[in-house]
Amino acid sequence: MKTDHLTSTFMALRQRLHRSALAYLKDDDDARDALQDTFERLWKSGDMESDSEASSKLFVALKNVCIDRIRRKRSVAMEEAHLVSMKIEPSSGEDMERLESLLTAGLTQVQKHIYSLSVHYSMDYKDIAERLNMTEGAIRTQMCRVRKKISDNYKILDR
């Protein structure tokens, strides 16, 4: 039987990895997402020869994922600053596509895709989950984050 060093090491170090991600990101949801992304990256990269190799790669990959997320947050913050400077004045010929793009600024590609399928194609979460090969719970979680981001962007535009 083949030993899966990555999974066993990940499970053993999960709490330490979570605390490390939390120290970087300062948000529990982001830290959990970073853990998931880290495991997925390493899972796709192939088998580990030993538990020590898996351990070191987990911490290095987690650090890189956290740094990527921090950089993404900074670019989103810059987009939000741009949104504030682009107040939308109500007009009779308001461009709905432009408004939607301003409201959905800062969403990940997956979130934009889920949002589009839900809003533009009126698909329910079950159908979206099947189409994207995700769980229905994951779709619900992503849509919750999408609605929060759109609400935050609306508040910025409404100032």
Side-chain angles (χ1 to χ4, degrees):
M1 181 174 138
K2 180 180 115 177
T3 304
D4 184 4
H5 295 288
L6 177 62
T7 303
S8 62
T9 304
F10 179 79
M11 294 308 290
L13 297 174
R14 188 176 194 148
Q15 293 302 319
R16 283 182 54 202
L17 289 164
H18 182 260
R19 284 192 305 269
S20 181
L22 200 52
Y24 280 107
L25 301 172
K26 311 290 189 241
D27 181 67
D28 191 56
D29 286 338
D30 284 344
R32 290 179 193 277
D33 288 346
L35 279 179
Q36 184 176 355
D37 291 348
T38 299
F39 184 80
E40 183 181 3
R41 279 187 188 182
L42 291 177
W43 182 263
K44 288 178 180 178
S45 72
D47 290 335
M48 306 288 159
E49 298 295 321
S50 68
D51 288 345
S52 63
E53 177 187 5
S55 175
S56 62
K57 285 188 176 183
L58 277 166
F59 280 101
V60 169
L62 179 65
K63 180 185 84 169
N64 291 335
V65 166
C66 290
I67 290 170
D68 289 346
R69 286 178 172 274
I70 291 168
R71 286 180 181 155
R72 216 174 302 133
K73 279 184 182 179
R74 284 186 189 149
S75 69
V76 167
M78 289 173 62
E79 286 176 17
E80 288 176 352
H82 180 68
L83 286 175
V84 170
S85 68
M86 295 180 61
K87 280 206 169 249
I88 295 178
E89 299 293 325
S91 66
S92 59
E94 187 172 75
D95 183 10
M96 292 306 290
E97 287 181 25
R98 180 170 172 250
L99 176 60
E100 184 178 28
S101 70
L102 289 172
L103 290 173
T104 59
L107 296 178
T108 66
Q109 289 299 328
V110 171
Q111 289 172 334
K112 285 180 182 178
H113 192 59
I114 292 170
Y115 171 79
S116 177
L117 291 174
S118 178
V119 173
H120 299 291
Y121 298 100
S122 302
M123 292 178 69
D124 62 10
Y125 293 162
K126 182 180 178 188
D127 294 334
I128 295 171
E130 289 173 4
R131 183 175 185 149
L132 299 180
N133 197 23
M134 296 173 73
T135 65
E136 193 173 338
I139 299 298
R140 287 184 190 284
T141 300
Q142 290 299 323
M143 276 304 292
C144 180
R145 291 176 183 165
V146 166
R147 286 189 295 272
K148 176 158 180 9
K149 184 64 180 171
I150 288 173
S151 174
D152 292 344
N153 286 348
Y154 180 78
K155 289 175 186 171
I156 291 169
L157 290 172
D158 197 38
R159 286 186 197 161

